[in-house]
Amino acid sequence: AFIAPCLAKLVDTAPEGPNWVHEIKFDGYRLQAHVEAGKVRLYTRSGLDWTTRFPTIVKGVKALSIGSAVLDGEAVVETDDGLSSFASLVATLKAYATAPIIFYAFDLLRFDGEEVSKLPLEKRKALLKPLLGKGRKGPIRYSDHVKGKGRAMQEKACALGVEGIVSKRIDLPYRG
C-alpha cells in the first residue's frame, strides 16, 4: 500500500552536527517505487499511480532484481550540465519523448517483506545503496549524502546552482 511521504520543511540555514545528513534537492517529481514479485508500481507523493508515465524507471527498477521493496525518490531529467530540470521533465512527459528520465532513490521504506521505515535513516540508506548497484549510469541511481557540514553543503549547492539541499536526521525513523 502507498505510504504517505515524509516532506521537507523550508528553513533558511542547514542544520549542523553529526546527526544530520544533507542531500541534493532534485527538481523533479517525487515518486515511490513499489516492487512486489517482479511487478513495479510508481506512485506520486499524493498516491496517484503514475506507473505508465515512467516506463524507463519501471524497466530500471525491474532490472535491479529486488524481490519486494518500496523505494522513495525523485524522477528527474538532467540538463547537459548535470542539473535536474523540472521544465525538461514536464516537456519530456508531455511529448512522450525518450529523454532519459532518472530515478534518484534516497530512502528505503520496505524491504523483503519488512517495514524498514522504522529503522534509523542511516540503516535504511545502508540497505538501499547496495540494491542500486555501482556508478552513476542507468535510470536508477542512489542519492548520496554528506554527513554533518550543513553550511558547507548549502554553500556548495548554491555555487553549483542546484535546487537546494534536504537535511535529514540520520538517527530517526521515517515519518510520513
Side-chain angles (χ1 to χ4, degrees):
F2 173 74
I3 301 168
C6 185
L7 301 176
K9 179 175 90 174
L10 184 63
V11 297
D12 292 330
T13 306
E16 293 286 345
N19 287 333
W20 290 94
V21 293
H22 312 281
E23 303 167 347
I24 295 292
K25 182 182 182 316
F26 297 103
D27 197 8
Y29 279 123
R30 177 85 172 266
L31 293 177
Q32 282 181 12
H34 291 238
V35 184
E36 188 64 47
K39 294 190 186 327
V40 176
R41 305 300 288 161
L42 301 176
Y43 296 99
T44 66
R45 68 187 239 168
S46 61
L48 298 175
D49 185 336
W50 276 18
T51 305
T52 59
R53 298 191 78 181
F54 297 99
T56 57
I57 293 175
V58 171
K59 185 178 177 182
V61 171
K62 281 183 180 180
L64 296 174
S65 300
I66 298 172
S68 70
V70 175
L71 310 173
D72 193 8
E74 191 95 0
V76 303
V77 169
E78 291 182 339
T79 61
D80 291 338
D81 56 4
L83 299 177
S84 59
S85 167
F86 186 74
S88 295
L89 176 60
V90 170
T92 298
L93 290 172
K94 279 186 180 179
Y96 297 97
T98 57
I101 297 176
I102 299 162
F103 180 73
Y104 277 99
F106 47 72
D107 210 337
L108 181 66
L109 308 181
R110 288 192 191 119
F111 182 56
D112 281 344
E114 297 205 23
E115 241 355 271
V116 296
S117 62
K118 296 174 183 173
L119 298 173
L121 176 62
E122 187 168 37
K123 290 187 182 201
R124 297 191 315 269
K125 285 179 93 50
L127 289 169
L128 175 64
K129 190 172 184 176
L131 294 177
L132 304 180
K134 296 180 180 170
R136 294 191 41 86
K137 297 189 180 198
I140 313 302
R141 301 179 188 172
Y142 177 71
S143 177
D144 214 341
H145 61 273
V146 171
K147 193 169 183 178
K149 304 177 186 173
R151 185 172 305 266
M153 181 70 171
Q154 188 174 8
E155 289 170 3
K156 184 69 169 176
C158 288
L160 292 172
V162 299
E163 171 96 0
I165 64 171
V166 176
S167 301
K168 302 173 182 178
R169 287 280 302 265
I170 196 82
D171 58 334
L172 294 179
Y174 192 86
R175 294 184 182 148

